[in-house]
Amino acid sequence: MKKGITLLVVALLLLTSFSNVFAGGQQEAVEAAPEVATPAEPVEIQFWTRQTQSERQEQIQVLLDVFQLLNPDIKVTMLPVEDNEFSTQLAAAGKANRPNLIETSAFYAMSYNVDNIVDSSANKAIINSVGADSFFPGSLNNVQMGDGSYFGVPFHFAAQGIWYRTDWFEEAGLEAPNTWENILKAAEYFNDPANKQYGILIGTKPENYTQQTFTHLATANDAHLFDAEGNLAVTSPEFKEAVEYYKALSEFTPPGPQTWRARDYYIQGKMAMFYYSTYIMDDLSLAEVAASSLTSENFSDLGGGTFDSNLVKNTAFVPLISNTESSGYGEIMTLSVLKSEDAAKTAATQRLAEFFLSDENYIPYLHVAPGGMLAMKTSVIESDQFINDPKGVYANYGKAKINEIAGGLGAMQDFLKTGESLFPESASILAKNLVGQMLYNVTIEDKDIDDEIANLEKEIKRLLEN
Amino acid sequence: MAIGLAARKEERLAWGLVAPAVLVIGILIAYPTFLNLFLSFFEVRLDGSKTFIGLGNYKNLLTNPNYYASIWTTFIFLVGSVAGSTLLGLGTALLMNQKFPLRSLVRTLIILPYFAPVISMVFGWQFIFDPVNGIFNFVFADTLHLISPDTNLIGDPDSVMWVLIAFTTWKYFPITYLLLLSRLQLIDKSMYEAASIEGAGKWACFWHITLPEIEFVLGTTILLRLIWNLNRFEDIYLLSPQIKTLSVFTYEQAFSGVIDQGLACSAALIQLLLAGIGIVYYIKKVLKW
């Protein structure tokens, strides 16, 4: 009897502990009947935003309140979701709780389109309503599948590149880090771990930031996941050179697997260069924003540092990197309407997206994160109203510099495209973080580059076959 | 005959008492378990559609070398963390069973790591081992010059498993300590007095009195820790996501980037099967219950 009960309890414990995993499948299987809105009740829609900081959410909520006042027949619920968590949350939400409008990276939106949950006709209707000509020339190509359908509407973008200490470079007589050679030379020169100073920050943790830094450096060497004919190209000489270069550069980045958070070392005056998006602009120029990156208040002996008001003046941004060719990179964020069986919800979602994209609401939305959310509408980025953000971040850089940064959008390259050919499969490869894992294996686990590239090829084939 | 009848009655009563709980828990877990089994034979897409692929997910899983690597990683983590928390829990319980000033306060303080939220503990540890600003490098590299200033214990593949085992041991040994201490307090002190008169030393007392007395509780805590650590996810994923235990591997299959719930369901079922076999072997052969 004692044995029987003991075994039974153990079995139940085991099964209970697995129930979380099972619950994932449970969500997917439950499909609620479509809600039918009656005229008396407002149509309820969900908006998922990647703006997870509470201050940003408060500002967006003000816009949503205005929208609901103007549209009393619509009720909007906002849910902040980290970009890396979007797929997780979508899977957990299942069909019944799927959001109606999402603000997410273009490559995630593309992968959701492959998964058949994006309403491309609704996206197209929004683009037509706002005016296709009002977006930056060529920007619609970044949200379009090969068949011409739209997996999202261009919303805003953050240019990415290398931020560096101009005063250190001038003193050392080094050229701006705008080529492979200049970057490596400067990284080696400034790297001094014994004195807690590092040459550069690039991603070495198996995650998306690492893939982003690598993409920019690799496309500068004409390395892509697929060649123009659609053949897998990770074993190409260009790709291998890019991995070898990345490995060499990683020797001058802070030890261990690093991600974007290590940008704090730059703000603390302990790093010469770091790879980052224009989201950093307010951290560099505003003491209150930079506070979380400075640790000296709590650990004075550890020399975290105090805010350097000259840092913004002594920092420059390189948006274009070149080796065999010049390459720009950035993250385009889209608004994307997801499929719903309720036409009223889709219509309400379109109205919300159009509301966000009208100039009077678009600028306040972009001002929730000055620097990180550059306009994708030509008329807006050139306007004084956009440059005069409430925090004064853009004013610290000047209109000419902002326009120069925004101009990098035209030179943007990524792994989704090779020349004019679009490869939606790349979205799945990046979403699964296969390139990031390979780079982690090479840079941190010191594994053989040829073996890891061969493994990457195998993993990609395995993913695409499934 | 009468004794046998009484025993059967007692057995029936025991089953009657546990039956409602077994029924409720059975219903709560039976549905997701069988749904999990069902889904493991399908390719499940984000739009809710399913395509029957038979044993495709199992074949995919069992031909993936990363899956076997995660089984090995899980084994190392289990051995290290269960041994660590058990030995530290046992040692602390023996120590806290002695009389000394402020014993009650110390006994309470020891439990704190167990109650503290995982997320704050993980961030605390990450900050401690930060290679540039962390206190660990400040003391051992900058001040004592015992290690290289370039050391990143929590990031170095050669040391990260040890850090994870140390973290799990530190975070979860209090529950072992609590259970063992409560059992130690029930041991009849006269047994030690008698052994002492017979000339038994402290080690002999521990080996021949303490250990047999706490054997059942010790075995149970090891068993529970094995089950809990096998399925532990949040600590590992937050502290060192590069360590791919089975739970992390399954999570990444199911929810990371391209969603593959069918494959994750098959991974979860195999994990359940492996755990079941291991646990039954432990109970039958090691604990001999």
Side-chain angles (χ1 to χ4, degrees):
Chain A
M1 174 63 200
K2 188 176 164 186
K3 281 183 185 176
I5 289 189
T6 307
L7 281 172
L8 189 62
V9 170
V10 167
L12 287 174
L13 263 169
L14 262 173
L15 287 166
T16 310
S17 63
F18 275 87
S19 62
N20 285 342
V21 178
F22 302 141
Q26 189 179 2
Q27 286 279 0
E28 198 59 46
V30 177
E31 293 183 6
E35 287 178 29
V36 179
T38 61
E41 291 177 357
V43 178
E44 293 188 16
I45 57 173
Q46 265 194 58
F47 168 54
W48 284 13
T49 173
R50 67 169 277 173
Q51 311 305 327
T52 51
Q53 294 86 338
S54 57
E55 189 191 350
R56 294 181 191 177
Q57 284 171 46
E58 284 166 16
Q59 293 175 51
I60 296 170
Q61 189 59 52
V62 171
L63 283 173
L64 289 176
D65 291 343
V66 172
F67 174 76
Q68 287 171 113
L69 271 175
L70 296 171
N71 300 275
D73 55 330
I74 301 173
K75 185 169 184 276
V76 186
T77 307
M78 175 172 61
L79 188 72
V81 180
E82 289 277 358
D83 215 37
N84 282 333
E85 293 294 313
F86 244 96
S87 303
T88 310
Q89 296 296 328
L90 274 175
K95 196 174 179 182
N97 297 311
R98 184 184 296 159
N100 304 90
L101 186 66
I102 57 172
E103 177 199 25
T104 191
S105 306
F107 84 85
Y108 277 120
M110 187 191 263
S111 72
Y112 302 148
N113 192 58
V114 172
D115 275 323
N116 200 30
I117 62 169
V118 170
D119 189 337
S120 55
S121 58
N123 290 332
K124 187 177 182 181
I126 295 164
I127 289 168
N128 289 338
S129 167
V130 174
D133 294 342
S134 63
F135 295 99
F136 273 130
S139 60
L140 290 179
N141 292 339
N142 293 305
V143 292
Q144 217 168 2
M145 301 296 284
D147 61 2
S149 61
Y150 291 98
F151 56 80
V153 179
F155 196 29
H156 52 85
F157 80 103
Q160 296 188 16
I162 293 177
W163 299 83
Y164 69 102
R165 290 289 297 255
T166 50
D167 52 339
W168 292 13
F169 272 67
E170 275 169 27
E171 198 182 323
L174 291 167
E175 289 182 55
N178 52 10
T179 66
W180 269 26
E181 189 184 349
N182 289 352
I183 296 167
L184 190 59
K185 193 174 167 188
E188 188 172 5
Y189 180 86
F190 290 115
N191 198 55
D192 183 10
N195 291 307
K196 303 284 181 200
Q197 181 178 299
Y198 294 90
I200 190 168
L201 168 68
I202 55 171
T204 48
K205 200 172 182 177
E207 63 170 44
N208 198 31
Y209 171 75
T210 301
Q211 298 189 134
Q212 291 174 349
T213 49
F214 177 72
T215 302
H216 198 163
L217 291 164
T219 50
N221 196 46
D222 200 21
H224 297 271
L225 293 180
F226 294 93
D227 63 21
E229 284 74 45
N231 304 307
L232 198 54
V234 294
T235 52
S236 69
E238 291 84 3
F239 197 90
K240 188 185 172 186
E241 281 168 16
V243 178
E244 286 169 342
Y245 177 76
Y246 203 81
K247 163 83 173 163
L249 208 52
S250 72
E251 301 294 330
F252 310 116
T253 209
Q258 294 295 347
T259 181
W260 61 270
R261 188 71 229 184
R263 54 82 195 267
D264 290 359
Y265 304 144
Y266 182 88
I267 296 170
Q268 295 165 9
K270 296 172 179 172
M271 200 148 57
M273 300 176 278
F274 70 114
Y275 189 86
Y276 215 83
S277 72
T278 43
Y279 264 102
I280 200 66
M281 289 168 90
D282 55 349
D283 297 76
L284 295 176
S285 59
L286 303 174
E288 62 272 22
V289 181
S292 66
S293 298
L294 302 164
T295 56
S296 61
E297 285 178 16
N298 298 323
F299 296 91
S300 56
D301 288 344
L302 298 182
T306 52
F307 180 68
D308 177 2
S309 57
N310 288 321
L311 193 59
V312 65
K313 193 181 75 187
N314 291 327
T315 295
F317 177 60
V318 169
L320 298 177
I321 297 172
S322 60
N323 191 41
T324 57
E325 60 181 67
S326 184
S327 173
Y329 184 72
E331 189 179 31
I332 292 178
M333 301 298 294
T334 64
L335 277 179
S336 187
V337 181
L338 300 189
K339 281 182 179 171
S340 169
E341 290 172 3
D342 187 338
K345 288 193 179 207
T346 303
T349 307
Q350 282 180 225
R351 273 157 68 187
L352 177 62
E354 287 161 13
F355 172 84
F356 280 147
L357 284 160
S358 62
D359 287 0
E360 62 273 25
N361 305 309
Y362 189 41
I363 293 173
Y365 195 106
L366 300 178
H367 281 171
V368 305
M373 297 164 74
L374 296 167
M376 296 200 73
K377 288 174 73 179
T378 322
S379 60
V380 170
I381 201 142
E382 289 171 353
S383 70
D384 290 337
Q385 200 190 344
F386 176 71
I387 298 297
N388 294 321
D389 66 277
K391 291 178 181 171
V393 172
Y394 291 131
N396 274 323
Y397 292 85
K399 194 171 182 176
K401 202 163 192 175
I402 298 304
N403 281 326
E404 183 191 323
I405 292 170
L409 182 65
M412 271 178 59
Q413 291 194 52
D414 56 34
F415 284 155
L416 300 179
K417 272 186 171 181
T418 306
E420 290 304 309
S421 307
L422 183 74
F423 298 104
E425 300 91 335
S426 295
S428 303
I429 295 166
L430 295 172
K432 207 67 189 170
N433 199 24
L434 296 182
V435 177
Q437 185 64 51
M438 179 273 292
L439 292 167
Y440 166 79
N441 293 345
V442 167
T443 57
I444 301 298
E445 299 208 336
D446 212 19
K447 290 185 177 169
D448 182 73
I449 290 176
D450 287 322
D451 290 349
E452 287 309 307
I453 288 177
N455 280 339
L456 174 67
E457 189 183 31
K458 258 190 240 168
E459 289 293 320
I460 291 174
K461 283 180 178 170
R462 180 196 297 278
L463 179 74
L464 299 182
E465 278 167 11
N466 293 321
Chain B
M1 187 67 188
I3 293 170
L5 193 65
R8 276 201 296 277
K9 271 188 178 175
E10 194 182 332
E11 189 175 330
R12 275 200 297 273
L13 176 67
W15 278 112
L17 289 172
V18 297
V22 170
L23 191 68
V24 171
I25 297 172
I27 290 169
L28 283 175
I29 60 177
Y31 171 66
T33 304
F34 284 107
L35 181 63
N36 194 86
L37 177 66
F38 174 73
L39 289 176
S40 72
F41 300 115
F42 288 82
E43 184 190 346
V44 186
R45 297 182 69 86
L46 199 56
D47 64 359
S49 63
K50 302 173 192 70
T51 311
F52 181 74
I53 54 167
L55 295 172
N57 283 323
Y58 291 94
K59 188 182 164 196
N60 190 2
L61 196 66
L62 296 173
T63 54
N64 187 347
N66 294 334
Y67 181 62
Y68 296 101
S70 75
I71 291 177
W72 178 240
T73 303
T74 307
F75 178 75
I76 296 171
F77 169 67
L78 271 183
V79 170
S81 60
V82 173
S85 56
T86 304
L87 290 174
L88 189 60
L90 176 61
T92 311
L94 290 170
L95 201 66
M96 291 300 119
N97 200 34
Q98 309 301 315
K99 285 185 180 167
F100 59 89
L102 300 175
R103 185 174 70 165
S104 301
L105 179 67
V106 177
R107 278 180 173 179
T108 310
L109 290 176
I110 286 171
I111 308 167
L112 283 181
Y114 186 71
F115 290 109
V118 172
I119 186 71
S120 54
M121 293 296 101
V122 165
F123 277 111
W125 274 58
Q126 281 176 340
F127 191 68
I128 288 168
F129 291 106
D130 183 286
V132 180
N133 295 318
I135 192 86
F136 182 84
N137 276 25
F138 178 71
V139 172
F140 291 97
D142 303 344
T143 310
L144 301 175
H145 305 290
L146 294 175
I147 57 171
S148 158
D150 232 8
T151 304
N152 183 347
L153 278 187
I154 216 163
D156 189 331
D158 294 331
S159 57
V160 62
M161 177 60 93
W162 295 110
V163 176
L164 178 65
I165 287 172
F167 177 84
T168 315
T169 297
W170 170 78
K171 179 96 179 71
Y172 297 103
F173 88 90
I175 193 72
T176 306
Y177 145 74
L178 266 183
L179 292 169
L180 290 178
L181 181 63
S182 62
R183 182 65 190 89
L184 283 171
Q185 288 175 333
L186 295 175
I187 299 176
D188 188 351
K189 299 286 183 291
S190 63
M191 292 165 73
Y192 291 105
E193 288 165 11
S196 181
I197 291 166
E198 295 293 325
K202 286 192 174 176
W203 175 247
C205 286
F206 171 76
W207 196 251
H208 296 291
I209 300 173
T210 310
L211 207 53
E213 285 291 317
I214 64 171
E215 187 186 357
F216 185 82
V217 176
L218 190 63
T220 306
T221 55
I222 291 173
L223 179 63
L224 291 173
R225 185 50 54 207
L226 275 171
I227 295 172
W228 288 335
N229 284 8
L230 175 69
N231 299 311
R232 188 151 300 288
F233 170 77
E234 67 275 22
D235 313 55
I236 304 168
Y237 195 70
L238 289 169
L239 187 72
S240 47
Q242 65 268 40
I243 294 186
K244 313 280 187 211
T245 57
L246 276 170
S247 300
V248 175
F249 178 86
T250 305
Y251 170 81
E252 290 190 342
Q253 293 299 327
F255 295 119
S256 169
V258 182
I259 309 301
D260 201 340
Q261 290 197 27
L263 189 67
C265 286
S266 56
L269 271 178
I270 294 178
Q271 185 174 340
L272 177 64
L273 200 65
L274 287 175
I277 293 168
I279 299 301
V280 168
Y281 179 83
Y282 174 77
I283 291 172
K284 292 281 181 194
K285 300 290 179 189
V286 181
L287 298 180
K288 296 186 172 35
W289 286 350

